[in-house]
Amino acid sequence: MSVRQLRGFAAAALLALVALPMVWTALAALHSGSQPEAWRALAETPALWQALALTLWTGLIATLLAWWGAAALLARGFVRRGLARLLRGLPVMLATPHAALAIGLLFLLSPSGWLLRVFSPWLTGFDQPPPWPTTQDPWGLGLILALVAKEIPFLLWTAATQLQRDDVRQRWRAEHALAQTLGYSPQRAFWLVLWPQLAVRLRWPLLAVLAYGLTVVDMALVIGPAAPPTLAVLAWQWLQDVDPTTYAQGAAAGVWLALLVLVCSAAWLGAQRAWRHALAQGRGRRGRIAAGAGLPAPAGLWLLTGFYAAVLLALAVGSVSGVWAFPEVWPQSWTLAAWTQVAHSSQTAWTTLWLAGGSSAIALLWSVAWLEIAPRRWDQAVRPVLYLPLVLPAVLWVVGLYRVGLQLQLEGQASGLLLAHTLMVLPYVLLALSPAYLGFDARYAQLNASLGHGPLRFLWQVKWPLLRRSLASAAAVGFAVSVAQYLPTLYLGAGRFSSVTTEAVTLASGGQRSLTSAYAGLQIALPVLVFALAAWLGRPRRFPGASA
């Protein structure tokens, strides 16, 4: 057997390990939600259309605002050559799970939250929390704010993986300079020349943001509208019912969400294609580019940083607060009782650690092997399958996972839970690692071969050491994604396993502010530590005497 045939066999085996479970899960989910009776019952539900309208409103507006905000920050960072400063605070933002951000925002914006305490009673005159719908508002504004704040860092980071490639950066710098010699301002040159190229490369991250915004459950449970909720929360509530008819109705709602994501994604990609065609025909050269107008990028960056700082501070103070009567700005007493209770629940933290560490390690190993062995045309052809967990609604995906787990007798088993987390983590790790790995300069391999060294030595001593920053950051992203998983842990764990995320979301519906803050703080601290470790592992190598 030739080397080429051996590589093809290995790539096929790797693909089968991941693609078969993903396709099986997707088909099982679609089959669960395809019962005609469930569809009829769903169509007759009084709250369906209002929930559907809320889903479209919150998901599309959040995606548009996140897309615009990330684009404006990138334009400023690229033109002013300040990408390094722009990306400095991203690890903490990326490491903040969605649920923890929603909980912190809840403690900031609720009627008894910190924001209103600062202005009470001297400005508002309130001695008691007012009956205002500042959280779980019927318009979904709190959910939109939380989604935008969480997705802008993700889009910035995925764009940075493209802009930090040497070949891409050098070519785009040259094109940007050429556009300025033709009379365009630096900002307009970015929007007309660079942004259309970058937007194409961000297609899958954008679709992931859109799909998440339309189908989010954990954030919507904490800070989203409640009467009625979004369609994803409505489906989740039906899936909790022991009645098979109601359960099938929840699965059918998941299929509706999948169709909704498909239609919205097709419309979004069509609009982008039309915009690029207009630019190519020269019709986009008149006037200002709309995406570049609005809030200045420095102000936007400070606003985003301040938002995260306020959320983290609210969680930190809340986790050690005792008696805290309204409208006092600071607690009247401080206590570590919540953290003591968290420490006594060490099994929850251990479950989170081994799940996140194991799933991210497996996903990283698979991604490296796939990118190293698979032919490029194979990789391009199967990416839609590999990205299924990104674009399928979470409530529908876990229905498929649960059915597969039952058929394989993995429900309530550690191996089943690890498999579920790995399938969720793998697309993010592959998405994070691909730009740097596929953009690696092939001349290094040619030089290595000319010196008489084999391919294994090239990987161990040249390629992987040069890519260790990308490898470490991809693993850290996978760890953070696993920590944030709520529905897979809830369903595949079957009540036998609890993570810091499931505990935090469950407690958020109660009145235990300090304990909820402590679990949310732990939910943030674990990924932050892993991102810090990744930054340390990916630091540039220093050679003795090099600085001299």
Side-chain angles (χ1 to χ4, degrees), residues 488-499:
T489 308
L490 200 65
Y491 274 78
L492 270 295
R496 300 180 185 177
F497 298 91
S498 62
S499 67

Side-chain angles (χ1 to χ4, degrees), residues 43-94:
E44 295 170 358
T45 302
L48 173 65
W49 302 109
Q50 192 174 354
L52 188 61
L54 275 172
T55 299
L56 283 170
W57 160 252
T58 55
L60 292 178
I61 294 300
T63 304
L64 282 168
L65 292 177
W67 187 239
W68 169 81
L73 291 172
L74 282 170
R76 180 80 178 191
F78 186 89
V79 170
R80 298 296 181 90
R81 297 180 182 267
L83 280 177
R85 184 174 65 256
L86 178 64
L87 303 176
R88 196 170 298 156
L90 281 190
V92 175
M93 299 181 189
L94 286 171

Side-chain angles (χ1 to χ4, degrees), residues 49 91 130 148 210 255 306 314 332 366 408 430 492 508 511 532 538:
W49 302 109
V148 171
L210 177 61
V255 175
Q332 282 87 10
W366 188 93
L408 297 178
L430 185 62
L492 270 295

Side-chain angles (χ1 to χ4, degrees), residues 319 335-349 500 503 507 512-516 518-519 522:
S319 67
T335 176
L336 293 176
W339 286 105
T340 302
Q341 190 170 343
V342 170
H344 289 160
S345 303
S346 58
Q347 185 61 37
T348 299
V500 293
E503 292 293 328
L507 289 168
Q512 302 184 60
R513 178 193 295 265
S514 58
L515 189 57
T516 305
Y519 270 106
L522 181 61

